[in-house]
Amino acid sequence: MPKSKDSPDGSAGEQRRLQMVDIARLAGVSVSTVSRALNGSELVNAETRQRVAELARSLNYSINFGARNLRLQENKTVAVVVPYDAKSRQHISDPFFLSIVGSIADALTDRGYDMLLSRVDAERLDLASHWFDSGKAIGVILIGQWRQHDQLNDMAARKLPLVVWGGEMPQQLYCSVGGDNVLGGALATRHLLALGRRRIAFVGDARLPEVWLRQQGYQQALQHAGLQADPALELPAAFEPGVATGELREFFAARRDFDAVFCCSDVLALLSIQALRAAGRSVPGDVAVIGYDDMPLAAYCDPPLTTVHQPVAEAGAELVEALLGQLRGERAGPRTLPVYLKLRESAPNT
Amino acid sequence: MPKSKDSPDGSAGEQRRLQMVDIARLAGVSVSTVSRALNGSELVNAETRQRVAELARSLNYSINFGARNLRLQENKTVAVVVPYDAKSRQHISDPFFLSIVGSIADALTDRGYDMLLSRVDAERLDLASHWFDSGKAIGVILIGQWRQHDQLNDMAARKLPLVVWGGEMPQQLYCSVGGDNVLGGALATRHLLALGRRRIAFVGDARLPEVWLRQQGYQQALQHAGLQADPALELPAAFEPGVATGELREFFAARRDFDAVFCCSDVLALLSIQALRAAGRSVPGDVAVIGYDDMPLAAYCDPPLTTVHQPVAEAGAELVEALLGQLRGERAGPRTLPVYLKLRESAPNT
DNA sequence: TTGAAAGCGCTAACAT
DNA sequence: ATGTTAGCGCTTTCAA
């Protein structure tokens, strides 16, 4: 038998949580009637319905969703999973990812869903399926695909309701939603070329699908301009500030044969600017810098960052819609959202 | 009757979720035995236990937590609530609050709890009790007390298991956990005084308890130095960048009779630096600037921010412990965590 | 229009 | 060591 104490959660001496049976007794009706009344059923007398509803409200009664969901076999909770780097115990705290989480929170709230937020080892994204398997969530939204493209495909093959923020890759079985990374890379590069810059460094780890796509855009833009991408100017910097800082300082100290840098995140852009200045080069005078994401603080840095704007506000709604669509049985493909270049001082228009 | 379809969540054609009864049938035992085996009960034959466990694992069975919780009258979910400004539809996206959320996520995960993340109108923090009332969470952690001190006291009086990140105020009924704001304000101010600055502006809205406490520390430090705080140098800037930007530009354009600024968040410090530069003043040369929080990006700004470091890593553990303690019936008071000054370039040591 | 009763998936007291 | 049974709080069929 469960605890027979009057306190369902073990806290001593608190009042027992109100249940339907309590309302029923006080209203002088059966629980069935209370249930119907509270759900606005037409089957119950309007006067009774009114009375029960009022009583429930005045007593501050809230329905027990666990019981309701069990009975109804339904659930309005979505798991949102943020990968983190378990090896370095370092958390993915990139402002951009956090913005996406906020955007998803809004979208879920608007649709009456709850959000279960958790972290998962970036090497074992497949563990995210646990939330679905255990019935705690009806599906999973994963923020970033990292290098686990295969794991994600497996998860989709196992019929896990899953949507991933990230880039669309060839032969992809799972549903992804993301910005147009190829376009973003091309926009940034074209702008730098238009400024007259010819030696453009690329900062980002192309093992990540999103970065790889941006690199494609970067290379395409160079080719279009009749230039050849120089692999020596491509630095596969990590996303974690702690790791990237050293890599960038070393890189910028070693070589000066470039006049622009395209970074695959605003944080990397910030770090690059610092490293460039440490190497005695000015931004944007000597080196123009373009970031990616347009994070909330991008406008308040010094210099304010020219950056590829990602559609954060739309992202949440798109991710949620994709997941709910999947649950309705729709066979939705990956979605690519538009991006644009936000001009500021780190690579100004002149 | 609930849907009799084989799909519990309405998605067409997927396999029915595995239950104990399925494992039981396949193992040739009763559900009780499966339940016991899976819970590692000593009452079940070691060989059987092994066999059942293996079967469950190979079939990828996960227990239905909704049902388990209903039966056990227990719940391992905590609601974490981030207030937002409903009027401006602007979200509290301050990097510091997001860091705290991350820290709480870690602490909860370590203890085997799930985190339900949601937002609530900052004017109606009392709505956060919904998560408890509906049985979805065993308690609520609220990030920031805003100006709703009274609402929070009411919630605590209603016996809602609640912990709030924020400052400790007189006659406070609810449990708060926060940094030592008075000390933080004093440390920052003392440092600026030690640099020889005498006219120190204060930026922050003292209607918020945390800011009010920091202001106390600021004023105390000035008095200790034999100086009088000048109310004309106190700017009650909002926390939202959009609003604050204008206020700061106006303020710094109007008056130049100060040589230092103490800001109640790093974001405000960043905005102040921009506004100061726009007004033709250098940082830290003309004006030294100190921020608050030591957000992840504080070290990567230009100049890197001298700031009061908040114990983010400890914050999550403290908040969670305080909540769990409350649920165990312990009568825990507010907790104040140590802070220290992190010296960087915006108000360097020399 | 209302109430009695069954059952959602699970655990535990009670039997064997 | 294992099975039978009752019941967590709710919704809904069925009967009245």
Side-chain angles (χ1 to χ4, degrees):
Chain A
M1 278 289 146
K3 307 180 185 79
S4 59
K5 292 299 307 298
D6 57 354
S7 167
D9 51 285
S11 47
E14 317 293 309
Q15 86 290 14
R16 192 176 60 84
R17 205 192 301 280
L18 228 46
Q19 305 178 181
M20 269 193 188
V21 62
D22 303 309
I23 309 287
R25 198 175 311 123
L26 290 164
V29 294
S30 72
V31 279
S32 324
T33 301
V34 175
S35 171
R36 286 192 272 252
L38 260 30
N39 286 303
S41 164
E42 292 296 326
L43 286 171
V44 64
N45 191 319
E47 186 270 327
T48 315
R49 193 164 58 211
Q50 177 74 13
R51 195 160 47 85
V52 169
E54 220 138 74
L55 188 60
R57 186 149 17 85
S58 74
L59 292 173
N60 238 298
Y61 168 77
S62 296
I63 197 170
N64 180 321
F65 275 93
R68 179 181 216 268
N69 289 344
L70 181 60
R71 174 66 234 229
L72 255 32
Q73 294 290 79
E74 78 178 27
N75 185 341
K76 301 267 272 180
T77 302
V78 169
V80 175
V81 178
V82 183
Y84 77 100
D85 185 6
K87 278 197 220 109
S88 62
R89 253 317 259 182
Q90 190 158 33
H91 292 134
I92 278 70
S93 59
D94 194 288
F96 174 69
F97 288 131
L98 297 175
S99 307
I100 294 273
V101 171
S103 170
I104 296 171
D106 288 342
L108 288 174
T109 303
D110 288 347
R111 287 162 185 73
Y113 285 80
D114 299 332
M115 168 168 147
L116 203 55
L117 185 70
S118 66
R119 301 184 153 173
V120 70
D121 181 348
E123 302 293 316
R124 296 297 312 277
L125 298 186
D126 55 319
L127 294 177
S129 62
H130 162 77
W131 299 113
F132 175 75
D133 296 334
S134 67
K136 281 185 183 166
I138 54 169
V140 173
I141 295 177
L142 195 56
I143 314 293
Q145 54 211 147
W146 298 87
R147 301 198 294 269
Q148 314 308 136
H149 191 63
D150 296 341
Q151 281 180 13
L152 297 176
N153 272 334
D154 287 350
M155 291 162 82
R158 258 187 269 134
K159 301 288 184 196
L160 170 74
L162 170 73
V163 179
V164 181
W165 173 269
E168 179 181 350
M169 299 295 280
Q171 290 152 21
Q172 169 175 309
L173 299 176
Y174 56 93
C175 173
S176 68
V177 172
D180 189 334
N181 292 293
V182 177
L183 177 63
L187 286 174
T189 311
R190 270 187 238 151
H191 178 66
L192 292 169
L193 290 169
L195 295 182
R197 314 285 169 146
R198 283 296 170 271
R199 298 279 298 164
I200 304 173
F202 179 91
V203 174
D205 181 351
R207 287 174 302 177
L208 307 186
E210 286 193 293
V211 173
W212 184 81
L213 293 165
R214 292 169 199 175
Q215 196 179 39
Q216 296 300 304
Y218 157 83
Q219 291 171 350
Q220 285 170 20
L222 289 179
Q223 273 167 26
H224 250 84
L227 299 173
Q228 189 62 43
D230 179 357
L233 285 180
E234 296 177 1
L235 175 65
F239 265 110
E240 302 84 54
V243 185
T245 303
E247 299 174 337
L248 286 165
R249 286 190 182 265
E250 196 174 331
F251 185 75
F252 292 145
R255 38 175 52 249
R256 309 177 64 87
D257 57 338
F258 55 88
D259 49 19
V261 182
F262 169 41
C263 299
C264 281
S265 83
D266 286 338
V267 175
L268 285 175
L270 232 45
L271 297 175
S272 293
I273 290 171
Q274 240 188 18
L276 286 165
R277 285 174 171 160
R281 313 195 68 185
S282 74
V283 177
D286 296 335
V287 182
V289 175
I290 294 189
Y292 211 105
D293 294 340
D294 198 12
M295 63 176 185
L297 258 46
Y300 308 120
C301 306
D302 182 274
L305 291 178
T306 291
T307 184
V308 178
H309 176 90
Q310 297 237 59
V312 172
E314 297 80 21
E318 290 286 344
L319 286 162
V320 171
E321 270 315 315
L323 184 66
L324 298 182
Q326 229 176 92
L327 291 170
R328 284 191 299 264
E330 297 164 18
R331 188 88 193 98
R335 297 264 296 130
T336 298
L337 311 178
V339 299
Y340 62 85
L341 191 68
K342 181 75 192 173
L343 289 177
R344 297 202 188 90
E345 308 307 317
S346 69
N349 210 358
T350 48
Chain B
M1 279 287 148
K3 308 180 186 80
S4 60
K5 289 300 305 298
D6 57 355
S7 167
D9 51 285
S11 48
E14 317 294 308
Q15 85 290 15
R16 191 176 62 84
R17 207 191 299 278
L18 228 45
Q19 305 178 183
M20 269 193 188
V21 60
D22 302 308
I23 309 287
R25 198 176 311 122
L26 290 163
V29 295
S30 72
V31 277
S32 327
T33 302
V34 174
S35 172
R36 287 192 271 252
L38 261 30
N39 286 304
S41 163
E42 292 296 325
L43 286 170
V44 65
N45 189 320
E47 185 270 328
T48 315
R49 193 164 57 209
Q50 176 74 14
R51 195 159 47 86
V52 169
E54 219 137 78
L55 189 59
R57 187 149 15 84
S58 74
L59 291 172
N60 238 298
Y61 167 78
S62 297
I63 197 170
N64 181 322
F65 274 94
R68 180 180 214 266
N69 289 345
L70 181 59
R71 174 64 236 234
L72 256 33
Q73 293 292 359
E74 78 176 32
N75 186 341
K76 302 269 271 180
T77 302
V78 169
V80 175
V81 178
V82 183
Y84 77 99
D85 185 7
K87 280 198 217 105
S88 63
R89 255 316 258 182
Q90 191 159 31
H91 292 134
I92 278 67
S93 59
D94 195 290
F96 174 69
F97 289 129
L98 297 176
S99 306
I100 293 274
V101 171
S103 169
I104 296 170
D106 288 343
L108 288 174
T109 304
D110 288 348
R111 287 162 185 74
Y113 285 80
D114 298 332
M115 167 167 150
L116 202 55
L117 184 70
S118 66
R119 302 184 152 173
V120 69
D121 181 347
E123 303 293 316
R124 295 298 311 278
L125 297 187
D126 56 319
L127 294 177
S129 62
H130 163 76
W131 299 113
F132 175 75
D133 296 334
S134 68
K136 280 184 183 166
I138 53 170
V140 174
I141 296 178
L142 195 57
I143 313 294
Q145 55 211 145
W146 297 87
R147 302 198 294 268
Q148 313 310 136
H149 192 63
D150 297 340
Q151 281 180 14
L152 298 177
N153 272 334
D154 287 349
M155 290 161 81
R158 257 187 270 134
K159 301 287 183 196
L160 171 73
L162 170 73
V163 178
V164 180
W165 173 268
E168 180 181 349
M169 300 294 280
Q171 289 151 21
Q172 168 174 310
L173 298 176
Y174 56 92
C175 172
S176 68
V177 173
D180 189 336
N181 292 294
V182 177
L183 176 64
L187 286 174
T189 310
R190 271 186 237 151
H191 178 68
L192 292 169
L193 291 169
L195 294 183
R197 314 286 170 146
R198 284 295 170 272
R199 299 279 299 165
I200 304 174
F202 178 91
V203 174
D205 181 352
R207 285 175 302 178
L208 307 186
E210 286 192 292
V211 173
W212 185 81
L213 293 165
R214 291 169 200 176
Q215 197 179 39
Q216 296 300 304
Y218 157 83
Q219 291 172 351
Q220 284 169 20
L222 288 178
Q223 274 168 26
H224 249 84
L227 298 174
Q228 188 61 43
D230 179 356
L233 285 180
E234 295 177 3
L235 175 65
F239 265 110
E240 301 83 54
V243 184
T245 303
E247 300 174 336
L248 286 164
R249 286 190 182 264
E250 196 174 330
F251 185 75
F252 291 145
R255 37 174 53 247
R256 308 176 66 86
D257 57 338
F258 55 88
D259 49 18
V261 182
F262 170 40
C263 299
C264 281
S265 82
D266 285 339
V267 174
L268 285 175
L270 231 45
L271 296 175
S272 293
I273 290 171
Q274 238 186 21
L276 287 165
R277 284 174 172 161
R281 311 195 67 184
S282 73
V283 177
D286 297 334
V287 182
V289 175
I290 294 189
Y292 211 104
D293 293 341
D294 198 11
M295 65 176 183
L297 258 48
Y300 309 120
C301 306
D302 182 274
L305 292 178
T306 290
T307 184
V308 178
H309 177 90
Q310 296 238 60
V312 172
E314 297 79 25
E318 290 287 345
L319 288 161
V320 170
E321 270 317 314
L323 184 65
L324 298 183
Q326 226 175 95
L327 291 171
R328 284 191 301 264
E330 298 163 18
R331 186 92 192 95
R335 297 265 294 131
T336 298
L337 310 179
V339 299
Y340 62 85
L341 192 67
K342 181 75 192 173
L343 289 177
R344 296 201 188 90
E345 308 307 317
S346 70
N349 210 359
T350 48

